[in-house]
Amino acid sequence: MAGGAAEQRRLAGVVEGWLGRPVLVVGDAMLDDWRFAESDRLCREAPAPVLTLRRRISAAGGAANTAVNVAALGGRAVLVAPVGADVAGDELHDCLDRAGVWDRTVNQPGRPTPVKRRMLAGNQILLREDSGDPDDALDDDGVVRLLTALDCATEELRAAGGAAPTLVVCDYGLGALSAPVRAWLVAHRPRYATVALDAHDLADWRGLAPTVVTPSFAEATRLLARAAGARPAPGVELHLDHRGDAPADGPSELTVGVSPGRAAAQQSPDAPGPTDPVAGPTGGAGPGLGATGEPTAGEGRVAMTGDGLTVTGTGVTVNATAGEGVDRAVLAGSRLAELRAHTGADVVAVTLDTDGAVVGGADGEPRRSHSTPVPASHAVGAGDAYLAAMTLALAADAPLPTAAQLAQLAATITVSDTGTCVCRREDLLAVLGAPVVEAGHRALVDAEELAAIVAEHRRAGRAIVFTNGCFDVLHRGHVRYLEQARALGDLLVVAVNSDGSVGRLKGADRPVNPVEDRVALLAALACVDHVVVFEEDSPAGLIETVRPDVYVKGGDYPPEMVPEAPLVRRLGGQVRTLGYVPDRSTSAIIDRIRAHGQEAQGDSPLTSKPS
């Protein structure tokens, strides 16, 4: 136990050591749009669920989420990426601002911001719609402006930190990192102390000499298959020619498993015999890895061939029987040296989604880490958390085993709920049993404290719910209303009118209870996270500070009638109205108390008239 505690303290020391580390992230930024719906019936036109939208969350995705994770883990993150001049781009800017990322993105009119829209019911993803054309590369002016932003951001970080910054390259095939941009980064490699590369097509980055690359199993397979050449080994069907008739599919998350007809085909006397799953053409990695595939931009769709034995994707045909009985981690570990040679990287970390990762460095010793299987909707962006933690640890000169351990831990602790994964420094330290120096949870805060608290939760990707009112006499209607409001997000902030504000709004005889009593009762409710008092008649100033994801008001009128609705929507939030419990209003309660008081006074012998 003592040894375990010492190890945790050592890991926590690395996390503390990377605090404020300057990191420049460049690549394909996108917006993750999560729409949470309810469904209790099928439509009449088809066997499809009828959905009622209940909540929507926007989050940074791709390179933008890597930058958000760097900032959340305690680094100083700067993002350089093309972003469209559209609504999705505006929302992405807001996500970066809330996370504390230095936004140095380049506006690209006419080029839409890539968006992944997911519709869920009961935390089950029902469909995903992707927008943004992967073939829509930057024009010449866009390339020039992106390179200018890269140069300026590099100098900005160097000036702020006094040392060479760290570079993270996120190339997901969406056109941000065209050939001129790649050439610039290769030529300016000496300006960066540590370089991390996450690319769908690693072959495009020859010459970068990254410190670390983090390919998925499919990306590593693709690189090795191409490097091996087009001459197939016995028993392994392979071709590297891109099909010209296949439409571009763009980046996808399609998982390719063993073909449905494999078992039957194996029983056939005509089925191919067993092959060496490790041996590939000319001794290279066998493409018969039989696992996952992510087609890159401009390459063919993943498709099943007619014999039911092979799958074709990204220009490579793979014999599905070749991978039978082979542990992907063992297979990846056996090819780490080749991956290092082909990428020029000091460290290669092959990520295996639910199976963890295999990491290797110059010593040639594979290091295995494990993860806990979770629903797919929980793991979106976990790779970004892995990349951010791995990069920060290596930039802080942590030994490779330590960096690998912290990276896997950062990815694992983010997958507890549905949404885009973000790992906070505080959460990582808490798992390591290290004390986190922070103010602690105080329900009653002032506006300045609230701004800092909200910023911290933004960095963790949490949804903020905001409501306001007098709450003069707290009653059952208020409690149910606040419980419903809290259910719409991850944090509920309640703004309370001061005594002067209540008097101006309700009359000279209000409030009945002073603000000290009103906020004390609200702060005692389990559903309320923070309470703040405002002097103005309108909460507009606080709304600008909080920038809530959901703004809630009580009443049976539509959201369009809420005076603050235009402001909330301009800031990227949504407006909801929730009905009160009938006959449970503050005014009705006060009237009943006064009526009872008058009746009691009339029945008193001291005030009754003589008969």
Side-chain angles (χ1 to χ4, degrees), residues 12 39 103 220 230 286 313 336 357 373 441 485 500 535 545 581 591 599:
S39 177
D103 186 352
L336 287 174
H441 181 89
E535 296 289 340
T545 297
V581 175
D591 288 343
E599 290 174 3

Side-chain angles (χ1 to χ4, degrees), residues 152-199:
C152 293
T154 301
E155 290 306 311
E156 184 179 20
L157 278 177
R158 179 185 289 274
T166 294
L167 175 68
V168 179
V169 179
C170 300
D171 182 7
Y172 306 132
L174 293 176
L177 299 172
S178 58
V181 179
R182 297 197 299 270
W184 189 96
L185 289 168
V186 170
H188 289 79
R189 169 65 176 86
R191 299 173 69 179
Y192 307 100
T194 302
V195 174
L197 172 63
D198 183 21

